[in-house]
Amino acid sequence: MDTIADQGCADRAPLVGRARELDRLDGLLGCRIEGAGPVAVDVTGEPGIGKTRLLTEFGIRARGRGATVLRGRAGTAEGDAGTPFQAVLDAFADLDHRERATTPALAELARLVERGGRAAQDVRDGCGGHDSPGVRDGCDARDVRGGHDSSGVRDVQDERVRRIGAALGRVPAPGLVLLLDDLHRADPATVALVDHLLRHPLRAPVLLVVARRERQTPPTLASSLARAVDSGALARLDLGPLAAEDCAEALAPGAPPDTVSELYAASGGNPLYFRALAHTRTPHGRAPGTGPVAVLLDELTPLSGVERAIVEAIAVLDGRATSELVAAVAAVAAPGRGGGATEHGESVEQGWGGQETIDAALRALARRDLVRPDEAGRTLGPRHPALPELVRGALDPWRRRELHRRAAAALDRSGAPASARAPHLVGAATGPDAATAAVLVEAAERTGTVDPARAAHWLAAALDHLPDTAEHLAHRLELTLRRAQALGSAGRVAESRDLLHRLIDTCRPDSGRGPCDTPGDHPQDTAGIRTSAVLLCAFMERHLGRYPEAEALLRRELERNPDPRAGLRTGLVVEWGARALFATRYPEVREEVDRTLGEARLRHDEAATAEVLTLSALGEAYEGGTTKARARATEAAALTDALTDGELADHVESLVRLSWTEAFLEEYGTAERRTTRGIAVARRAGRPFALSQLLLCSAYVHFLTGRVGAALDLAEESLTVAHPLGGAELLGFSRAMRATVLLHARPLGDPEGLAAAEEAAATVGTAQSWWATQARCMLAHNVPLGQDPHRVRGALLRAGGDRDLSRLQPSLRPGYLELLASAALVAGDPAEAERAARRALTEAQRLGLPVQRGAAQRAWGRVLAHRGESAAAAEAFTEAARESARSGAGLREAHSLLLAAPHVQAAGDGPRAAALWRRGRRLAADGGAHMLVDLADRTRPASPDAIAPGGRLSVLTPREREISVLVAEGLTNQAVADRLCLSPRTVESHVARVYRKTGVETRAGLASLVVRTGVGGGQSSRG
């Protein structure tokens, strides 16, 4: 907002996000009124960043404090000295007659400035006016003709500068604020005055505020300002980009978040560019020559023809280009040649007389900061990335098309890749052209892995330019399929699905004589395109959670075309099986999967065999068939390990399935190696769906093996990848995984994990897929068990369907039964807890998975602890730790050890309890599991020396033993408090310490312990 043309709209535009800068200016003004602080403020920033708007607002505030505010703007053209003292003259034009009359010092200043400007101008022009000391003192005519560098002009200027400086020193309170905008354009007299005021700071209440563009500031002025900063006479105030939320609230109220994000990214937080882009991009945007766009483009008005053509060429090239390329695109006919554009990229030597002309124009544009060369000076670009878009929008269509034509021709001659030529071919094309379409397809191939959205754009353009004839029909169908795939990879899943439905309709085999059986077509090829379209569409439907639709598509294709090409049939069956697996209905497709596996083996098709093997392995691992799953995973691993990364890129979904299989089989080291390779392949190949799931699997493995910090990083990256892909279920599961890791990464009781888990559960809604079920179970894990056991239990039952949790994944079910048993105990239902724990033991034994056996042992240990059987509970928890250690599940081992320690101590083995506690805490601390570290610190066993030989209750204080007896009698905390004349909070604290010291977890367990040890009332022990 830094040009003269913007002055009017700057006053009306909202001031956005500059409260801190305004406060600083207010503070500096207060210092000047008191005769202290810097005498000047230097406001710098990129063009459009808001310097002029800030000066406007500060001027209003300064007037509110009673100061006189004068505002001027420096020269209007690059290299034009303008009227001497022009900015100051412009400022004093605001001084009205009343202020002149009431403040003699200001009236004197106004006269000095006005006379000084005229006198210096007279000398510079050789006029010898009556107030010209140089002429009056007999200056030589040669000095006058020497222009503003002559000694006569310097004498006049220096004298006027001293007089103006002295007059400013006589300004009375409440003071003067002098705002000089665009100081980078200042004339030498103004620069000299600023320099004088900085070298001889005023004691009067005068504050000088200048605004300028750093890159366009002349060296003389820049050095003067730099010296003043060092001396303390000048304060710097550099304006940076605005925050995204400030732009959204003030500059685009009501705009959709995606639109605001795009505008902010394109503008870089520059408010004028933000407004200009919103002006042109939004549905209600006006013509490019109005509003903030006109403000920005006003700088192009004084350019010469050559300079204007260069700016337009750089805008069309939309990025960095060499001066030779710019010259070729900007070429116009030389004067006297009849005008108009040159043909076939005519060289600049033919158009303008040589590269020297171009280079001179580029130097002039660089001085204006419209063009910025790189550090090496080899390539050129605009000063702001959004400027090309705005300049292109202002070009008439015919001019823009011609520039694109030249750019395409010049890039073609230089051997530029198709991705560089593509936008210009599109911009220059006027109708169908197979050659143009071919280049656009090549551009899509080059960009597809790194920018699928751009690839989809080029493919759409290729389809627009490909002639719509029978000759090109098969190619059109193939390009449509590829565009749908690119749209899906770009996260535009619904759009991809709709395009695939149209493609499938176009290729219907039962629609009579249609596009796919036109004479001259290749039926086998078009049938393959239809089958590939069905396969891809089913994948998109599955990602969107539409499992019935995916199944119907796949079934129909297999029934209509029971013997398509072998590879495509395998793909259909694998996708059908994947759909069933995610819908938790794998047993329905097991037979078909096994048959397809046999067919692939007979064909010796290793890639297809690996695809089916990984599906079968994951399906069996999910269902708890660990022996078959392990055999098939081993066979699949041998095949996939033999594939190169390039071959594997086409089968990366196999790696996803194999990685999860190995994770469920608790082969964590192998799974980590697999995900590491898969993540690298998916990144390079541009497979975002697979990448997100591989990152999730890696996060799961890192989490269980006790590397919580790394797991959180992986989970957050997976969420970042999944978010733009859409699909509520994958997004919800990604959020749930992050929430679970976050729970362990934060201190005990931190609410962030629960909030994240609730968001994840809300994301999946009412879906009943594998993703959704896991998200709900993870919510149950994140709810604080001691605070709301009924919510934990309810979440598990809703996910699992019944008290046996039969809808949950069998190979993970013992872990969920452990949580269900714990919730039942805290909720006061020990019978249900025991039933769940026994079922967990049975299922874990069948699975033969150490981590799941450990979960079942922890569930049983909690039941034993509730009964007061500390020795048996200690053994169960210790066995859980051993089982977890067998698979390298460090996090589960640490938790089991920390549960075991107080019960081992209660059983009388203090040294062993301390050792278990130390190992558990060390594993938690080394892995970054802060929640477990906090749990360890709260349950630290007492030192063995502190334990007397009188039994488990001997470690209690007399008050704690007294309270324990009353609790054993069935009294509530409130009743105990009333009897002992204590507060309920004090009783609660005593009971918590009793639990920690004795290792029991419930009031029933404490009562049992009191009865067995005979404390209070002479009760005898039982059992």
Side-chain angles (χ1 to χ4, degrees):
M1 304 178 188
D2 299 302
T3 60
I4 294 175
D6 192 39
Q7 176 65 52
C9 70
D11 291 335
R12 296 189 298 272
L15 181 70
V16 183
R18 299 300 184 196
R20 182 180 60 83
E21 290 84 352
L22 273 173
D23 289 344
R24 188 178 179 203
L25 287 171
D26 283 343
L28 291 171
L29 176 58
C31 290
R32 288 311 304 157
I33 291 174
E34 296 174 3
V39 297
V41 185
D42 181 23
V43 180
T44 59
E46 289 288 309
I49 204 68
K51 300 184 294 295
T52 298
R53 184 65 186 86
L54 179 67
L55 262 60
T56 300
E57 186 67 22
F58 175 59
I60 294 171
R61 290 196 178 191
R63 287 191 186 95
R65 298 181 66 168
T68 298
V69 178
L70 302 178
R71 179 173 178 177
R73 190 181 295 271
T76 59
E78 182 74 26
D80 178 15
T83 303
F85 300 107
Q86 178 180 338
V88 188
L89 279 168
D90 190 32
F92 274 90
D94 290 340
L95 193 65
D96 59 29
H97 295 292
R98 182 177 57 82
E99 289 173 310
R100 289 174 183 256
T102 56
T103 312
L106 291 178
E108 179 190 2
L109 262 172
R111 287 193 298 272
L112 284 170
V113 169
E114 292 161 0
R115 293 168 61 191
R118 288 195 303 270
Q121 185 68 44
D122 288 344
V123 172
R124 193 182 70 173
D125 294 342
C127 298
H130 69 276
D131 195 36
S132 173
V135 173
R136 187 171 59 246
D137 295 341
C139 85
D140 192 283
R142 286 173 298 181
D143 291 335
V144 174
R145 289 192 300 269
H148 65 275
D149 286 332
S150 67
S151 60
V153 171
R154 283 198 302 273
D155 291 342
V156 172
Q157 177 178 288
D158 292 346
E159 177 62 23
R160 289 297 175 183
V161 162
R162 286 191 291 272
R163 292 183 183 182
I164 293 171
L168 281 169
R170 293 190 288 273
V171 171
L176 169 67
V177 174
L178 185 59
L179 307 174
L180 302 184
D181 206 353
D182 285 345
L183 196 68
H184 54 278
R185 297 174 177 170
D187 58 89
T190 301
V191 172
L193 176 60
V194 170
D195 178 68
H196 176 82
L197 295 176
L198 295 174
R199 286 187 294 108
H200 306 283
L202 302 171
R203 295 183 179 180
V206 176
L207 180 65
L208 171 66
V209 183
V210 301
R212 64 187 176 91
R213 300 178 184 179
E214 189 104 45
R215 287 175 174 267
Q216 294 173 255
T217 301
T220 302
L221 176 58
S223 62
S224 175
L225 296 172
R227 286 193 300 269
V229 171
D230 292 340
S231 70
L234 179 72
R236 292 291 302 271
L237 188 60
D238 186 53
L239 302 188
L242 296 176
E245 55 271 21
D246 290 334
C247 289
E249 293 174 6
L251 303 181
D258 289 346
T259 300
V260 173
S261 297
E262 291 175 6
L263 291 172
Y264 185 78
S267 68
N270 186 303
L272 183 57
Y273 283 98
F274 188 99
R275 291 170 54 218
L277 291 170
H279 201 77
T280 57
R281 288 187 181 184
T282 56
H284 303 293
R286 289 165 285 175
T290 61
V293 182
V295 171
L296 284 166
L297 298 183
D298 183 61
E299 284 192 77
L300 308 185
T301 303
L303 300 183
S304 68
V306 175
E307 293 168 348
R308 179 78 180 226
I310 289 174
V311 170
E312 292 172 352
I314 292 175
V316 167
L317 289 168
D318 196 18
R320 300 207 167 271
T322 63
S323 61
E324 292 78 13
L325 180 58
V326 170
V329 176
V332 296
R337 289 186 151 196
T342 60
E343 292 297 323
H344 308 298
E346 181 183 37
S347 70
V348 70
E349 285 80 3
Q350 293 172 303
W352 287 333
Q355 188 68 40
E356 292 182 0
T357 304
I358 294 290
D359 291 343
L362 286 171
R363 281 192 290 271
L365 291 171
R367 285 194 300 271
R368 295 178 181 273
D369 196 31
L370 287 168
V371 171
R372 293 180 181 177
D374 65 3
E375 292 182 0
R378 296 190 184 95
T379 59
L380 303 159
R383 75 170 175 223
H384 192 283
L387 193 57
E389 177 182 337
L390 299 172
V391 172
R392 287 196 305 271
L395 291 173
D396 68 65
W398 300 273
R399 171 69 172 161
R400 186 166 57 244
R401 184 182 304 144
E402 173 61 20
L403 291 174
H404 278 301
R405 185 191 67 78
R406 292 184 204 154
L411 289 167
D412 188 30
R413 287 195 303 272
S414 66
S419 54
R421 290 181 283 146
H424 305 297
L425 289 171
V426 172
T430 56
D433 179 24
T436 295
V439 177
L440 295 171
V441 172
E442 183 183 350
E445 291 173 348
R446 287 177 173 268
T447 60
T449 58
V450 295
D451 191 350
R454 178 59 61 90
H457 171 74
W458 294 139
L459 289 168
L463 286 164
D464 288 341
H465 291 88
L466 190 66
D468 191 5
T469 62
E471 175 188 359
H472 298 285
L473 179 57
H475 192 34
R476 292 185 69 84
L477 297 175
E478 179 191 356
L479 294 181
T480 302
L481 177 64
R482 291 164 65 178
R483 179 168 181 260
Q485 188 169 19
L487 287 170
S489 296
R492 295 155 65 179
V493 179
E495 190 177 346
S496 171
R497 175 239 185 222
D498 294 345
L499 181 60
L500 288 165
H501 272 269
R502 292 196 295 272
L503 179 59
I504 293 167
D505 285 342
T506 302
C507 292
R508 280 196 311 241
D510 57 350
S511 59
R513 191 170 183 77
C516 286
D517 55 358
T518 303
D521 284 350
H522 302 284
Q524 186 65 31
D525 291 342
T526 53
I529 288 174
R530 184 189 65 251
T531 304
S532 297
V534 168
L535 182 59
L536 184 59
C537 188
F539 176 87
M540 298 300 171
E541 297 281 22
R542 170 161 64 89
H543 182 69
L544 292 169
R546 298 172 178 173
Y547 300 106
E549 290 86 347
E551 180 180 14
L553 275 170
L554 294 165
R555 277 186 178 276
R556 186 181 69 171
E557 186 64 18
L558 286 168
E559 291 169 358
R560 285 180 173 178
N561 195 4
D563 190 26
R565 283 178 290 183
L568 287 176
R569 175 174 174 76
T570 300
L572 289 170
V573 172
V574 169
E575 179 56 39
W576 188 30
R579 183 275 320 161
L581 180 59
F582 279 90
T584 66
R585 294 164 56 187
Y586 180 75
E588 297 177 6
V589 301
R590 180 183 279 126
E591 184 178 346
E592 183 63 32
V593 170
D594 288 344
R595 182 166 50 250
T596 304
L597 176 59
E599 294 170 356
R601 283 170 170 162
L602 285 175
R603 294 195 313 269
H604 302 288
D605 187 340
E606 293 185 349
T609 300
E611 288 275 358
V612 186
L613 279 170
T614 57
L615 173 65
S616 176
L618 183 56
E620 299 301 338
Y622 178 94
E623 293 297 329
T626 53
T627 301
K628 185 176 180 181
R630 188 169 280 109
R632 298 221 157 155
T634 301
E635 185 180 354
L639 293 173
T640 55
D641 286 347
L643 296 176
T644 66
D645 286 356
E647 293 170 321
L648 200 55
D650 294 328
H651 305 281
V652 71
E653 292 289 335
S654 285
L655 273 186
V656 174
R657 292 189 290 268
L658 184 54
S659 299
W660 276 111
T661 300
E662 290 166 339
F664 291 151
L665 293 175
E666 300 178 5
E667 297 173 1
Y668 300 129
T670 306
E672 183 177 351
R673 178 174 63 83
R674 194 86 53 209
T675 56
T676 299
R677 184 187 183 194
I679 288 168
V681 170
R683 285 193 204 282
R684 287 196 298 269
R687 300 286 191 269
F689 296 98
L691 176 59
S692 177
Q693 296 181 53
L694 286 163
L695 288 165
L696 275 176
C697 185
S698 186
Y700 178 73
V701 169
H702 279 76
F703 173 67
L704 286 179
T705 52
R707 292 167 289 172
V708 177
L712 185 58
D713 291 341
L714 288 161
E716 289 181 338
E717 185 180 358
S718 172
L719 183 57
T720 300
V721 176
H723 194 273
L725 296 177
E729 295 180 7
L730 174 59
L731 183 61
F733 181 66
S734 299
R735 285 174 170 163
M737 178 67 74
R738 176 184 174 273
T740 299
V741 179
L742 191 65
L743 174 73
H744 289 76
R746 294 286 189 267
L748 190 65
D750 188 289
E752 189 174 353
L754 176 58
E758 288 171 333
E759 182 185 17
T763 302
V764 299
T766 60
Q768 295 300 321
S769 68
W770 183 85
W771 300 115
T773 299
Q774 294 300 313
R776 294 189 192 98
C777 290
M778 290 180 181
L779 170 61
H781 271 293
N782 279 266
V783 173
L785 190 61
Q787 295 179 16
D788 198 347
H790 299 288
R791 186 181 181 192
V792 174
R793 195 174 180 184
L796 285 171
L797 292 177
R798 281 193 298 275
D802 53 38
R803 27 191 323 234
D804 290 333
L805 307 183
S806 56
R807 277 210 310 246
L808 298 186
Q809 181 175 340
S811 54
L812 297 179
R813 195 179 292 149
Y816 297 129
L817 286 167
E818 176 200 355
L819 183 58
L820 186 64
S822 301
L825 283 175
V826 179
D829 191 350
E832 176 62 18
E834 181 173 344
R835 188 203 64 79
R838 289 187 182 280
R839 184 165 185 84
L841 288 168
T842 301
E843 297 207 15
Q845 190 61 35
R846 180 181 61 81
L847 289 171
L849 297 173
V851 173
Q852 295 304 313
R853 286 201 299 263
Q857 288 290 341
R858 283 193 301 275
W860 186 241
R862 292 176 187 276
V863 172
L864 294 172
H866 180 79
R867 293 177 182 173
E869 300 175 20
S870 290
E875 180 56 33
F877 288 134
T878 305
E879 179 61 23
R882 284 194 290 265
E883 291 282 14
S884 300
R886 287 190 183 99
S887 288
L891 191 76
R892 300 299 184 226
E893 181 186 359
H895 190 198
S896 302
L897 290 169
L898 293 173
L899 290 174
H903 296 286
V904 171
Q905 183 189 48
D909 193 347
R912 182 164 174 255
L916 293 176
W917 180 87
R918 283 194 299 270
R919 174 165 172 75
R921 190 186 188 285
R922 185 175 67 252
L923 285 172
D926 291 347
H930 296 295
M931 184 190 78
L932 290 182
V933 171
D934 280 0
L935 176 64
D937 292 342
R938 295 186 185 189
T939 60
R940 181 169 189 160
S943 170
D945 296 335
I947 300 178
R952 290 171 62 186
L953 296 181
S954 62
V955 298
L956 303 181
T957 66
R959 174 66 83 180
E960 289 168 350
R961 284 196 295 272
E962 184 180 19
I963 289 175
S964 298
V965 170
L966 295 175
V967 168
E969 292 176 1
L971 273 66
T972 64
N973 286 356
Q974 181 65 56
V976 173
D978 293 341
R979 180 172 296 188
L980 300 180
C981 299
L982 300 173
S983 71
R985 184 180 297 276
T986 301
V987 173
E988 184 179 344
S989 299
H990 280 302
V991 171
R993 285 196 291 273
V994 169
Y995 286 167
R996 179 173 60 82
K997 291 180 179 181
T998 61
V1000 299
E1001 297 181 345
T1002 64
R1003 301 174 80 85
L1006 179 59
S1008 176
L1009 180 62
V1010 169
V1011 170
R1012 292 200 315 274
T1013 54
V1015 175
Q1019 297 172 346
S1020 62
S1021 63
R1022 292 179 298 178

